[in-house]
Amino acid sequence: MLGGDCILCRKIGSLPQAASPDCIFEFPQSVLFLGPWQYYRGYCVLVARWHATELSQLAPQDRHAHLEEMCLAARAIEDAFRPKKMNYELLGNQVPHLHWHLVPRYADDPDFKHPIWVAIDRAKDDKSALRRLEQGSSDRAETARILRNQLAALMARRS
Amino acid sequence: MLGGDCILCRKIGSLPQAASPDCIFEFPQSVLFLGPWQYYRGYCVLVARWHATELSQLAPQDRHAHLEEMCLAARAIEDAFRPKKMNYELLGNQVPHLHWHLVPRYADDPDFKHPIWVAIDRAKDDKSALRRLEQGSSDRAETARILRNQLAALMARRS
């Protein structure tokens, strides 16, 4: 089900992958996009293909498949960039369409102990700090390329 | 596997339920506790019974069971308190033992659009604001009782 007023439904509706340089992988139930805050290199957002606001709205087999895709996506980020920790967050307070923030956390992050939203909130009035969090130190296209290759390899091992 | 240095391993090791007024439900793979920030009434933390730091370390069937318990726990919180949105967060940057923050979010929260950590961070130097977030407006034991009943009913319907 696609809802016309939902920006994530529109994002999903505007695929195929070739149209979006941020699209990393198209799973059956969800689509993985490179996320905005690349200080956390490899940060991705996994967006459900259908419009639902809560996991409890899904049929058990759909929920299982969706969560398996979440785990596969996170595994690819881990394998690619070897973070110290992975953070998984399903929020949706601003955009209530199921999507997971999959955030690799690194040991050299001075705010490592806190969820990323604390650093982002503190930086909100400081454009250069925000830009640093957004851009990180790696090329976005190269990060996307590495993740696509990692996911392709991971999926090939499973099939 | 229980690790002696891990506070969540110790918390799990100190069960049975009777010993902890915050223990809501003992699942086969994890244990649900009432969480500290009861401004978000019904906020719980679901702690894995075994020491693992990442979902990717689990065998597929254990991961599936663990995530199913996460969904059941969240469903009970939703059924009990009818929040506007549920937030699910697996972080572990401070305590790297698998645990989910299951946070019901309510429409009358002025910070509804943001993850709870932003409000908690902003309140960190204001004891009365912190106390307000910690205590909420409901009795903790009553919230725990409602959740226990809800989970018992939910599990009874499944068996």
Side-chain angles (χ1 to χ4, degrees):
Chain A
M1 186 180 88
L2 295 177
D5 292 338
C6 171
I7 61 168
L8 289 181
C9 283
R10 285 206 298 277
K11 194 173 174 82
I12 293 288
S14 72
L15 293 172
Q17 175 173 334
S20 168
D22 287 341
C23 179
I24 302 296
F25 198 83
E26 294 199 42
F27 292 102
Q29 305 263 354
S30 52
V31 183
L32 187 66
F33 296 95
L34 197 65
W37 307 107
Q38 287 301 314
Y39 174 74
Y40 313 98
R41 190 186 190 192
Y43 162 38
C44 284
V45 180
L46 183 76
V47 180
R49 284 188 179 273
W50 8 259
H51 189 83
T53 59
E54 296 289 357
L55 286 178
S56 59
Q57 295 167 356
L58 305 185
Q61 66 273 22
D62 290 340
R63 193 169 58 232
H64 175 57
H66 174 67
L67 293 173
E68 267 299 292
E69 292 174 1
M70 173 196 82
C71 291
L72 283 165
R75 175 65 181 269
I77 297 169
E78 279 185 274
D79 288 351
F81 300 117
R82 305 283 171 193
K84 181 172 178 185
K85 189 75 193 69
M86 280 300 297
N87 289 178
Y88 300 66
E89 300 185 70
L90 176 67
L91 304 168
N93 306 319
Q94 297 190 30
V95 182
H97 172 131
L98 284 181
H99 62 282
W100 287 90
H101 301 270
L102 302 174
V103 193
R105 304 300 305 274
Y106 298 96
D108 62 355
D109 176 356
D111 290 310
F112 171 79
K113 288 199 170 178
H114 304 288
I116 64 169
W117 316 110
V118 170
I120 292 167
D121 180 66
R122 287 180 185 164
K124 70 180 185 303
D125 297 323
D126 178 342
K127 281 187 182 172
S128 71
L130 267 187
R131 199 177 312 118
R132 187 181 62 87
L133 292 174
E134 201 167 327
Q135 296 185 341
S137 55
S138 302
D139 178 66
R140 219 176 142 79
E142 174 67 2
T143 298
R145 189 191 64 75
I146 292 169
L147 280 172
R148 281 190 200 104
N149 289 348
Q150 198 71 47
L151 260 161
L154 188 57
M155 298 307 279
R157 284 203 301 275
R158 283 170 53 91
S159 61
Chain B
M1 184 179 88
L2 296 177
D5 292 338
C6 171
I7 61 167
L8 288 182
C9 284
R10 285 204 299 275
K11 194 173 174 82
I12 293 288
S14 73
L15 294 171
Q17 177 172 332
S20 167
D22 286 342
C23 179
I24 303 295
F25 198 83
E26 295 200 42
F27 292 101
Q29 304 264 352
S30 51
V31 182
L32 187 67
F33 296 94
L34 197 65
W37 307 106
Q38 287 301 313
Y39 174 75
Y40 313 98
R41 190 186 190 193
Y43 162 39
C44 285
V45 180
L46 182 75
V47 180
R49 284 189 180 272
W50 8 258
H51 188 84
T53 59
E54 296 289 356
L55 288 178
S56 59
Q57 295 167 357
L58 305 185
Q61 65 273 22
D62 290 340
R63 194 168 58 233
H64 175 56
H66 175 67
L67 293 173
E68 268 299 292
E69 293 173 1
M70 172 196 81
C71 291
L72 283 165
R75 175 65 181 269
I77 298 169
E78 278 186 275
D79 289 351
F81 300 116
R82 304 283 172 192
K84 181 172 178 184
K85 188 76 192 70
M86 280 299 297
N87 289 177
Y88 300 66
E89 301 185 69
L90 175 67
L91 304 167
N93 306 318
Q94 295 189 31
V95 182
H97 173 131
L98 284 181
H99 62 283
W100 287 91
H101 302 269
L102 302 174
V103 193
R105 304 301 304 276
Y106 298 96
D108 62 354
D109 176 356
D111 289 311
F112 171 79
K113 289 198 169 179
H114 304 288
I116 65 169
W117 317 110
V118 170
I120 293 167
D121 181 66
R122 286 179 187 163
K124 69 180 185 304
D125 297 324
D126 179 342
K127 279 188 184 172
S128 71
L130 267 187
R131 200 177 312 117
R132 187 181 62 87
L133 292 173
E134 202 167 327
Q135 295 186 341
S137 55
S138 302
D139 178 65
R140 217 177 144 79
E142 173 67 1
T143 298
R145 189 191 64 76
I146 292 170
L147 280 173
R148 279 188 201 107
N149 289 347
Q150 198 71 47
L151 260 162
L154 187 58
M155 299 306 279
R157 285 203 301 276
R158 285 169 52 92
S159 63

